[in-house]
Amino acid sequence: MDVLVTLDAMDRWTSSGGGSVGLVPTMGFLHDGHLSLVRRARGENDRVLVSIFVNPTQFGPSEDFEDYPRDTDRDCALLLAEGADAVFIPSVEDIYPAGFATSVTVSGPLTERLCGASRPTHFAGVTTVVARLFGVTRPDRAYFGQKDAQQLAVIRRMTADLALPVEVVGCPIVREPDGLAMSSRNVYLSNDERAQALTLRESLLLAQRRVTAGIRDASALRDEIVGLVARQALLRLDYVEFVHGETLDPVDTLSGQVLLALAAFVGRTRLIDNATLQVDE
Ligand code: PAF
């Protein structure tokens, strides 16, 4: 596996090989969720490239950029075992060189609601770095997890709007055996916090059960989830919303496929989770 730590090395790698390239953009501290993206990319491309870059511009001023977990040696060992062809580990100066003056912003409700309401600068940071990574690595396909459902919708919008020649592939959420969605931030959780964090997944399962039982009123179901989360002393709900999976427009009466997305602080750690509810007509 090639370890590429400069833009020149990245450029040579792209120019030298043939065939299709699947890019898995990550911020490192890899878990099985990331590795599932690598496996999917492995199956669909001639060459698989993983980028590791903890992107400062997608963290708010009081967020965890400095503390974000990092272990590049372990990441490289995992990627080698998965058969990745190369890992790109740029510096901040490679991604944002002196004079860098561009911001790529998807504007409007897609970035203003859900996570965008409490993280107003987050998605501009994501779209700017992903656009830059697409430019620097020139992939044919790029792989993102459905756990970050809003991020996926925003990146799809950006890629379509800018006619970027990259196929964006969304991949299913990967969970711990007890149901907690995998996240690099799970390492922050104490045992008690981790136990209460399972309520997020329980809320999603409860919603699917209620829908199967015939409930169609999003607001009533929302209230029930708010109540469930409120019973956990270590949880503070940020949002729970029923929305259309692509537009993220709110849904009042559940029908067809509905994305149930939620975010909560577990102690000081902010976690997100979601499920696509299947609502019989
Ligand atoms: O999902 C992530 O890990 C990041 O938001 C991404 C897409 C790598 C951009 O920094």
Side-chain angles (χ1 to χ4, degrees), residues 160-184:
D161 288 356
L162 300 180
L164 301 178
V166 181
E167 182 189 338
V168 174
V169 183
C171 301
I173 296 175
V174 177
R175 296 180 181 281
E176 303 283 356
D178 62 8
L180 186 67
M182 290 205 178
S183 164
S184 303

mmCIF file of all heavy atoms in Angstrom, residues 160-184:
data_model
loop_
_atom_site.group_PDB
_atom_site.id
_atom_site.type_symbol
_atom_site.label_atom_id
_atom_site.label_comp_id
_atom_site.label_asym_id
_atom_site.label_seq_id
_atom_site.Cartn_x
_atom_site.Cartn_y
_atom_site.Cartn_z
ATOM 1 N N ALA A 160 -23.707 17.225 -7.840
ATOM 2 C CA ALA A 160 -24.611 17.427 -8.978
ATOM 3 C C ALA A 160 -24.564 18.878 -9.448
ATOM 4 O O ALA A 160 -24.435 19.154 -10.645
ATOM 5 C CB ALA A 160 -26.033 17.041 -8.581
ATOM 6 N N ASP A 161 -24.624 19.819 -8.509
ATOM 7 C CA ASP A 161 -24.676 21.238 -8.881
ATOM 8 C C ASP A 161 -23.422 21.670 -9.629
ATOM 9 O O ASP A 161 -23.479 22.488 -10.547
ATOM 10 C CB ASP A 161 -24.841 22.120 -7.634
ATOM 11 C CG ASP A 161 -26.242 22.025 -7.039
ATOM 12 O OD1 ASP A 161 -27.094 21.332 -7.632
ATOM 13 O OD2 ASP A 161 -26.473 22.622 -5.972
ATOM 14 N N LEU A 162 -22.264 21.154 -9.202
ATOM 15 C CA LEU A 162 -21.000 21.553 -9.839
ATOM 16 C C LEU A 162 -20.610 20.606 -10.967
ATOM 17 O O LEU A 162 -19.525 20.747 -11.543
ATOM 18 C CB LEU A 162 -19.876 21.627 -8.790
ATOM 19 C CG LEU A 162 -20.100 22.622 -7.646
ATOM 20 C CD1 LEU A 162 -18.926 22.615 -6.674
ATOM 21 C CD2 LEU A 162 -20.324 24.027 -8.188
ATOM 22 N N ALA A 163 -21.489 19.640 -11.266
ATOM 23 C CA ALA A 163 -21.228 18.658 -12.332
ATOM 24 C C ALA A 163 -19.852 18.019 -12.158
ATOM 25 O O ALA A 163 -19.111 17.850 -13.136
ATOM 26 C CB ALA A 163 -21.365 19.308 -13.707
ATOM 27 N N LEU A 164 -19.517 17.693 -10.929
ATOM 28 C CA LEU A 164 -18.217 17.065 -10.679
ATOM 29 C C LEU A 164 -18.274 15.628 -11.204
ATOM 30 O O LEU A 164 -19.266 14.924 -10.994
ATOM 31 C CB LEU A 164 -17.901 17.079 -9.177
ATOM 32 C CG LEU A 164 -17.855 18.475 -8.539
ATOM 33 C CD1 LEU A 164 -17.585 18.376 -7.034
ATOM 34 C CD2 LEU A 164 -16.807 19.346 -9.213
ATOM 35 N N PRO A 165 -17.230 15.182 -11.880
ATOM 36 C CA PRO A 165 -17.280 13.862 -12.535
ATOM 37 C C PRO A 165 -16.979 12.721 -11.561
ATOM 38 O O PRO A 165 -16.076 11.912 -11.762
ATOM 39 C CB PRO A 165 -16.195 13.975 -13.619
ATOM 40 C CG PRO A 165 -15.214 14.941 -13.047
ATOM 41 C CD PRO A 165 -15.976 15.902 -12.170
ATOM 42 N N VAL A 166 -17.724 12.681 -10.465
ATOM 43 C CA VAL A 166 -17.521 11.679 -9.414
ATOM 44 C C VAL A 166 -18.878 11.075 -9.080
ATOM 45 O O VAL A 166 -19.846 11.815 -8.874
ATOM 46 C CB VAL A 166 -16.928 12.318 -8.128
ATOM 47 C CG1 VAL A 166 -16.703 11.255 -7.054
ATOM 48 C CG2 VAL A 166 -15.644 13.074 -8.427
ATOM 49 N N GLU A 167 -18.936 9.754 -9.024
ATOM 50 C CA GLU A 167 -20.174 9.105 -8.575
ATOM 51 C C GLU A 167 -20.127 8.996 -7.055
ATOM 52 O O GLU A 167 -19.193 8.419 -6.495
ATOM 53 C CB GLU A 167 -20.269 7.711 -9.205
ATOM 54 C CG GLU A 167 -21.540 6.976 -8.829
ATOM 55 C CD GLU A 167 -21.528 5.529 -9.286
ATOM 56 O OE1 GLU A 167 -20.760 5.195 -10.225
ATOM 57 O OE2 GLU A 167 -22.252 4.726 -8.681
ATOM 58 N N VAL A 168 -21.127 9.594 -6.405
ATOM 59 C CA VAL A 168 -21.174 9.548 -4.934
ATOM 60 C C VAL A 168 -21.976 8.318 -4.508
ATOM 61 O O VAL A 168 -23.123 8.148 -4.909
ATOM 62 C CB VAL A 168 -21.816 10.837 -4.379
ATOM 63 C CG1 VAL A 168 -22.019 10.744 -2.869
ATOM 64 C CG2 VAL A 168 -20.948 12.046 -4.727
ATOM 65 N N VAL A 169 -21.336 7.468 -3.709
ATOM 66 C CA VAL A 169 -21.965 6.212 -3.304
ATOM 67 C C VAL A 169 -22.226 6.253 -1.797
ATOM 68 O O VAL A 169 -21.304 6.468 -1.000
ATOM 69 C CB VAL A 169 -21.041 5.007 -3.634
ATOM 70 C CG1 VAL A 169 -21.733 3.695 -3.267
ATOM 71 C CG2 VAL A 169 -20.617 5.016 -5.094
ATOM 72 N N GLY A 170 -23.477 6.071 -1.401
ATOM 73 C CA GLY A 170 -23.840 6.025 0.020
ATOM 74 C C GLY A 170 -23.877 4.578 0.492
ATOM 75 O O GLY A 170 -24.369 3.714 -0.231
ATOM 76 N N CYS A 171 -23.358 4.343 1.678
ATOM 77 C CA CYS A 171 -23.251 2.961 2.190
ATOM 78 C C CYS A 171 -23.951 2.855 3.551
ATOM 79 O O CYS A 171 -23.958 3.811 4.325
ATOM 80 C CB CYS A 171 -21.790 2.578 2.348
ATOM 81 S SG CYS A 171 -20.873 2.685 0.810
ATOM 82 N N PRO A 172 -24.519 1.666 3.845
ATOM 83 C CA PRO A 172 -25.328 1.496 5.058
ATOM 84 C C PRO A 172 -24.561 1.757 6.355
ATOM 85 O O PRO A 172 -23.336 1.590 6.412
ATOM 86 C CB PRO A 172 -25.753 0.025 5.012
ATOM 87 C CG PRO A 172 -25.469 -0.448 3.631
ATOM 88 C CD PRO A 172 -24.438 0.443 3.040
ATOM 89 N N ILE A 173 -25.317 2.114 7.379
ATOM 90 C CA ILE A 173 -24.745 2.322 8.719
ATOM 91 C C ILE A 173 -24.224 0.989 9.247
ATOM 92 O O ILE A 173 -24.873 -0.049 9.085
ATOM 93 C CB ILE A 173 -25.835 2.863 9.674
ATOM 94 C CG1 ILE A 173 -26.315 4.231 9.203
ATOM 95 C CG2 ILE A 173 -25.329 2.929 11.123
ATOM 96 C CD1 ILE A 173 -27.476 4.810 10.018
ATOM 97 N N VAL A 174 -23.064 1.026 9.880
ATOM 98 C CA VAL A 174 -22.528 -0.174 10.546
ATOM 99 C C VAL A 174 -22.638 0.060 12.049
ATOM 100 O O VAL A 174 -22.304 1.141 12.545
ATOM 101 C CB VAL A 174 -21.065 -0.433 10.135
ATOM 102 C CG1 VAL A 174 -20.499 -1.636 10.876
ATOM 103 C CG2 VAL A 174 -20.974 -0.647 8.624
ATOM 104 N N ARG A 175 -23.140 -0.955 12.761
ATOM 105 C CA ARG A 175 -23.412 -0.808 14.197
ATOM 106 C C ARG A 175 -22.569 -1.755 15.032
ATOM 107 O O ARG A 175 -22.153 -2.809 14.558
ATOM 108 C CB ARG A 175 -24.908 -1.080 14.471
ATOM 109 C CG ARG A 175 -25.793 -0.074 13.803
ATOM 110 C CD ARG A 175 -27.279 -0.304 14.047
ATOM 111 N NE ARG A 175 -28.027 0.722 13.338
ATOM 112 C CZ ARG A 175 -28.194 1.970 13.781
ATOM 113 N NH1 ARG A 175 -27.735 2.304 14.971
ATOM 114 N NH2 ARG A 175 -28.835 2.867 13.068
ATOM 115 N N GLU A 176 -22.346 -1.372 16.276
ATOM 116 C CA GLU A 176 -21.747 -2.270 17.266
ATOM 117 C C GLU A 176 -22.747 -3.406 17.514
ATOM 118 O O GLU A 176 -23.939 -3.252 17.223
ATOM 119 C CB GLU A 176 -21.497 -1.518 18.580
ATOM 120 C CG GLU A 176 -20.630 -0.286 18.473
ATOM 121 C CD GLU A 176 -19.146 -0.619 18.343
ATOM 122 O OE1 GLU A 176 -18.784 -1.810 18.416
ATOM 123 O OE2 GLU A 176 -18.374 0.328 18.143
ATOM 124 N N PRO A 177 -22.294 -4.535 18.094
ATOM 125 C CA PRO A 177 -23.234 -5.635 18.336
ATOM 126 C C PRO A 177 -24.465 -5.208 19.139
ATOM 127 O O PRO A 177 -25.556 -5.731 18.940
ATOM 128 C CB PRO A 177 -22.390 -6.651 19.128
ATOM 129 C CG PRO A 177 -20.982 -6.370 18.711
ATOM 130 C CD PRO A 177 -20.910 -4.895 18.434
ATOM 131 N N ASP A 178 -24.326 -4.233 20.047
ATOM 132 C CA ASP A 178 -25.495 -3.792 20.836
ATOM 133 C C ASP A 178 -26.346 -2.743 20.120
ATOM 134 O O ASP A 178 -27.327 -2.255 20.675
ATOM 135 C CB ASP A 178 -25.058 -3.279 22.214
ATOM 136 C CG ASP A 178 -24.133 -2.066 22.115
ATOM 137 O OD1 ASP A 178 -23.948 -1.532 21.002
ATOM 138 O OD2 ASP A 178 -23.588 -1.644 23.156
ATOM 139 N N GLY A 179 -25.969 -2.358 18.919
ATOM 140 C CA GLY A 179 -26.820 -1.461 18.129
ATOM 141 C C GLY A 179 -26.306 -0.037 18.019
ATOM 142 O O GLY A 179 -26.810 0.738 17.196
ATOM 143 N N LEU A 180 -25.331 0.346 18.840
ATOM 144 C CA LEU A 180 -24.806 1.721 18.748
ATOM 145 C C LEU A 180 -24.132 1.920 17.381
ATOM 146 O O LEU A 180 -23.318 1.088 16.963
ATOM 147 C CB LEU A 180 -23.792 1.960 19.873
ATOM 148 C CG LEU A 180 -23.255 3.384 19.997
ATOM 149 C CD1 LEU A 180 -24.359 4.352 20.442
ATOM 150 C CD2 LEU A 180 -22.088 3.451 20.983
ATOM 151 N N ALA A 181 -24.504 3.001 16.701
ATOM 152 C CA ALA A 181 -23.888 3.267 15.398
ATOM 153 C C ALA A 181 -22.401 3.533 15.589
ATOM 154 O O ALA A 181 -22.006 4.263 16.509
ATOM 155 C CB ALA A 181 -24.560 4.477 14.750
ATOM 156 N N MET A 182 -21.569 2.933 14.732
ATOM 157 C CA MET A 182 -20.125 3.145 14.882
ATOM 158 C C MET A 182 -19.773 4.596 14.590
ATOM 159 O O MET A 182 -20.283 5.195 13.652
ATOM 160 C CB MET A 182 -19.373 2.209 13.954
ATOM 161 C CG MET A 182 -19.484 0.789 14.426
ATOM 162 S SD MET A 182 -18.131 -0.203 13.851
ATOM 163 C CE MET A 182 -18.563 -1.747 14.633
ATOM 164 N N SER A 183 -18.889 5.130 15.421
ATOM 165 C CA SER A 183 -18.433 6.503 15.267
ATOM 166 C C SER A 183 -17.070 6.616 15.943
ATOM 167 O O SER A 183 -16.852 6.015 16.998
ATOM 168 C CB SER A 183 -19.412 7.462 15.966
ATOM 169 O OG SER A 183 -18.812 8.724 16.150
ATOM 170 N N SER A 184 -16.188 7.398 15.342
ATOM 171 C CA SER A 184 -14.887 7.620 15.980
ATOM 172 C C SER A 184 -15.069 8.277 17.340
ATOM 173 O O SER A 184 -14.233 8.139 18.225
ATOM 174 C CB SER A 184 -14.004 8.498 15.091
ATOM 175 O OG SER A 184 -13.854 7.901 13.821
#
